Amino acid sequence: MSRYHEIKHRVATTFQRHVGNPILGRLPNQPLLETTGRKSGVPRQTPIGGRRVGREFWIVSEFGEKSQYVRNIHADPRVRLRLKGRWHTGTAHVLPDDDPRARLKALPRFNSAAVQAIGTDLLTIRIDLDD
């Protein structure tokens, strides 16, 4: 990763961790992804943007394998997802062969624009919902 991308990643994740995520996580209609911490075993909630299509929910991680929730998914793909105030269980799949830029075109416009603007290593994730 270039020095520019390292700085961009550090600035964006610091902002998300201390400002964006605490605010977004409190909004009742904000989708939340809950993974299990790979080291701590503690539930970790991350505000996300994406779209439900039938029994699947699609997201694009802006920092790919460097995203903490992607690392947690690799350790334990069982997740919970809050959609419109209701929690769902499911299994997350990291899809490195999917085209994340094409996928963003099918996801909510505002979130997709933000992911493209700050993202340094886009990666598609599909969550297969149990219910």
Side-chain angles (χ1 to χ4, degrees):
M1 183 181 286
S2 73
R3 178 94 172 117
Y4 169 76
H5 285 121
E6 287 177 24
I7 292 169
K8 189 175 180 182
H9 176 258
R10 192 173 321 124
V11 168
T13 56
T14 299
F15 176 81
Q16 288 171 335
R17 185 176 303 118
H18 298 289
V19 180
N21 290 356
I23 293 169
L24 291 174
R26 289 186 177 95
L27 299 176
N29 285 329
Q30 172 67 45
L32 283 180
L33 174 64
E34 185 178 271
T35 60
T36 301
R38 66 194 174 282
K39 294 178 184 177
S40 68
V42 174
R44 303 292 185 186
Q45 294 181 354
T46 305
I48 58 169
R51 174 163 283 141
R52 183 174 183 164
V53 179
R55 292 182 58 174
E56 300 172 339
F57 191 84
W58 292 85
I59 61 177
V60 173
S61 168
E62 62 264 60
F63 300 117
E65 299 289 342
K66 287 189 80 171
S67 293
Q68 297 301 316
Y69 69 88
V70 172
R71 292 176 177 186
N72 290 343
I73 287 168
H74 281 303
D76 182 358
R78 295 295 302 158
V79 299
R80 288 192 333 142
L81 185 65
R82 186 183 77 183
L83 299 173
K84 299 180 181 177
R86 183 171 169 245
W87 286 98
H88 304 266
T89 59
T91 304
H93 304 275
V94 177
L95 304 173
D97 294 330
D98 191 72
D99 181 350
R101 294 197 185 281
R103 182 69 56 195
L104 283 172
K105 293 177 182 174
L107 300 180
R109 188 173 296 158
F110 179 75
N111 181 74
S112 293
V115 167
Q116 287 191 52
I118 66 170
T120 58
D121 187 22
L122 305 183
L123 179 65
T124 303
I125 298 165
R126 183 189 77 231
I127 300 169
D128 296 333
L129 300 172
D130 296 335
D131 53 349

